[in-house]
Amino acid sequence: MLIETERLILREMNFEDFDALYGILSDAETMRHYPAPFDKAKVKSWIDRNQRRYKEDGFGLWAVVLKKTGEVIGDCGITLQPIHGEMLPEIGYHIRRDLWRNGYGSEAALASMKYAFETLKLSAVYSYMKYTNAASYGVALKNGMRFVEEYDDPVNIKTRVYRITREEWLNRK
Ligand SMILES: CC(C)(COP(=O)(O)OP(=O)(O)OC[C@H]1O[C@@H](n2cnc3c(N)ncnc32)[C@H](O)[C@@H]1OP(=O)(O)O)[C@@H](O)C(=O)NCCC(=O)NCCS
């Protein structure tokens, strides 16, 4: 699996990406909307889990590589997530903090969305986040997702859900 955009490559993550991913996922500000930043064990299991997803589901969170430098600057991709009691395909993303607001998050998410509709032939994809995560829903809105609902959740207090359907994707072009 390899997706190329104007500035990025999305490819399967592996243990050679550990240091780059640990740098991103252990950062307190980046993980502000999560229960806690990831420690080394959590990053290892993050890589393990995504490698399992590639085999079992045919997709997962991929490493985001900046073409200009070859560095891994984040992760982005599609995973099955429990959203309001249902397992649904979700587009998720983390970008290295010093590179925020350059459009990389939305570029990677849009490429994942294209893959979801054109390769996986999914009928809809979702993004969900803690209600305070404006950057996360900013990416969803920028890429044409629409607000679906906000529900109470013990981890996030309130979880917001955004979605784009295949029909909306096709009409968007
Ligand atoms: C969410 C995240 C990946 C966005 O990455 P990014 O590369 O900075 O996003 P983009 O530059 O593509 O921003 C897209 C839009 O989102 C909105 N946005 C991004 N960051 C924002 C912020 N801090 N506050 C408010 N809106 C924001 C803007 O509308 C932006 O468009 P604009 O720059 O044209 O105004 C990044 O903020 C991140 O890694 N956050 C921490 C991890 C996380 O919470 N992931 C989501 C878990 S649910």
Side-chain angles (χ1 to χ4, degrees), residues 24-34 37 97 100 133:
I24 296 158
L25 300 170
S26 67
D27 176 63
E29 173 64 13
T30 302
M31 302 308 274
R32 186 157 58 97
H33 303 283
Y34 284 72
R97 182 153 56 94
W100 286 357
N133 196 341

Side-chain angles (χ1 to χ4, degrees), residues 12-64:
E12 293 186 357
M13 62 175 73
N14 60 63
F15 281 94
E16 286 174 20
D17 304 321
F18 180 88
D19 289 347
L21 291 172
Y22 178 67
I24 296 158
L25 300 170
S26 67
D27 176 63
E29 173 64 13
T30 302
M31 302 308 274
R32 186 157 58 97
H33 303 283
Y34 284 72
F38 288 4
D39 61 14
K40 287 192 173 169
K42 185 89 197 249
V43 175
K44 184 183 176 301
S45 67
W46 189 251
I47 298 173
D48 274 336
R49 189 153 163 215
N50 281 298
Q51 291 191 322
R52 220 168 31 246
R53 286 177 168 136
Y54 306 145
K55 288 203 192 87
E56 290 172 6
D57 302 332
F59 50 83
L61 285 179
W62 300 301
V64 175

Side-chain angles (χ1 to χ4, degrees), residues 137-152:
Y137 61 72
V139 169
L141 288 169
K142 192 163 177 176
N143 284 339
M145 285 190 170
R146 293 199 299 167
F147 176 78
V148 178
E149 63 166 331
E150 193 171 86
Y151 62 91
D152 294 338

Side-chain angles (χ1 to χ4, degrees), residues 3 6 11 13 38 61 94 99 107 113 118 126 134 146 149 157 165-166 169 173:
I3 299 173
E6 190 191 337
R11 57 145 175 86
M13 62 175 73
F38 288 4
L61 285 179
H94 302 88
L99 297 171
E107 190 168 324
M113 205 184 268
E118 296 182 3
Y126 296 75
R146 293 199 299 167
E149 63 166 331
I157 306 168
T165 63
R166 162 175 293 279
W169 168 259
K173 285 186 167 177

Side-chain angles (χ1 to χ4, degrees), residues 30 34 93 95 100-106 133 135-136 138-139 142:
T30 302
Y34 284 72
Y93 23 73
I95 296 291
W100 286 357
R101 296 308 279 265
N102 286 297
Y104 294 132
S106 14
N133 196 341
S136 182
V139 169
K142 192 163 177 176

